[in-house]
Amino acid sequence: MMVLFGMECKKIARSILYWVLVLALLAVSLFQYEPVVESELGRTGDPNSVFYIASNGDYADERSSIPDEAMERAMMTGATKRLVNNYRDNRYEYYPFGYVKEKTMSEEKQAVILQYLMELTGLSEQTLKGTANEAADGTDGGNIGDVPISGGGAFILEPGKGGTNENGQFVAEPEDWQYVPGGGASLESSPQAGSDFEMQVSFGRFKEIMEQISKMIGRNSYFSWTMLQLYYFGNDMEDSPITERQHWEFYEGDRVTGAFARYYCDSISLVALFLPAFVIVDLMLRDKRRRMQGLTYPRAISSARLICTRYVAAVCMAMLPILILPVRSLFVLMQYCANVGVQADVLAFVKYTLAWILPTVLLVMAVSLLVTALFQNYTAILLSGLIWLTGKPTVDKLAGGNYSLFDLIIRHNTLKGYGRMTENIQMLVQNRIAVSLVASVLVGLAVLVYSIKRKGGLTFGCQKFAYHRGFKLTAEH
């Protein structure tokens, strides 16, 4: 059995399609997951960072998950300020396939968004574009003021900071902003209040405008109602000061590495939902491409042993890079934990990867195994593409904790939310077990199909081979 397993692993390692999977995983790790680790470690003193430790134990107040007037006002102000920044940079975020992407608007659409901004803020075109001259009161006409943070506090643009670039746009770097904790900092009392704005529309009209802008940007844009709810109505998706509960969950519940392991699994989940199919399909069709079916079909090795060994080899080879890629970040996070005297969860990445990603890989490969054993072609690739398109959880599950029994992948696109996950852990466990059981049933069916085909049944095409005592006798047309 081990000899056969090793042979199948070597076949996979020599496959170009296997390295397509590895490169895709590597790209997601390097360009989506690793930057988050570096960014968070680079701002440990920022009250918005999960790493933040308040010296006096004074953390932000907890927010209710039930929307109120203050939360609606925070949504209107925060989303409008973000829209101004997006408009000036002409870069708009949206989630067409579950991953964040940026879109550049045409001049016509930019003009429409400008009109909406003028209606929302009451500011002039020059101010919104960041090209206004210095205001009469001495403030910068291009600056739209401080960025308030829900839960108390605000980011204040320090006097004299920021400036215009070669395009005449006002630009402020992250280090130009100073965080002022507590609820005292407000738009009206801030040093830049003279250049700020008051919302000029009702909340109902605000929702209408955001809906129109979201349609212009694309599916699941940041300004869609679903995403605005995620970021502003009392959950852990928003970039707001850490509460005492979130601090405890990160350091005591997740033990630091658990939060990043969860985020890593979220980052690679969409890759795991599709590309593993390439590995098993290529392995199953290798004999056909080399015209070796007449040799492999009649061999004494049982169908169950051959199919199960190939399946296990494909799963192991697919999981190998998934387990290896986060090792570097694990050591970096463990070093941080050692410096601050926190006990890290060394096995966090292994546990989350095996619990969250492995069942998905098992299912995708089991479906592809069965279909390929039946048709002996690349139909399984097309089917896996359909599964990928229809099996992705909706955007409202990005925050994590919202699980259904038959979710094919688990999303948790935030470093926070440990408590929300544990509250719904029973459904999460049931989901992963159900997915794994379905995969096992499909593998059993693949063994049955392969066994029947070895005996000359279930033949699709013009040629059928007849076998007797393990030797090919005739070829019938």
Side-chain angles (χ1 to χ4, degrees), residues 146-149 152-156 179-191:
D146 312 326
V147 180
I149 301 298
F155 279 108
I156 307 296
Y179 177 75
V180 178
S186 65
L187 297 177
E188 294 75 18
S189 63
S190 67

Side-chain angles (χ1 to χ4, degrees), residues 403-423:
Y403 314 119
S404 299
L405 183 60
F406 296 108
D407 284 343
L408 300 185
I409 57 175
I410 304 299
R411 297 305 308 266
H412 199 109
N413 193 236
T414 173
L415 295 171
K416 307 170 188 175
Y418 170 82
R420 190 167 54 253
M421 179 196 69
T422 56
E423 289 174 0

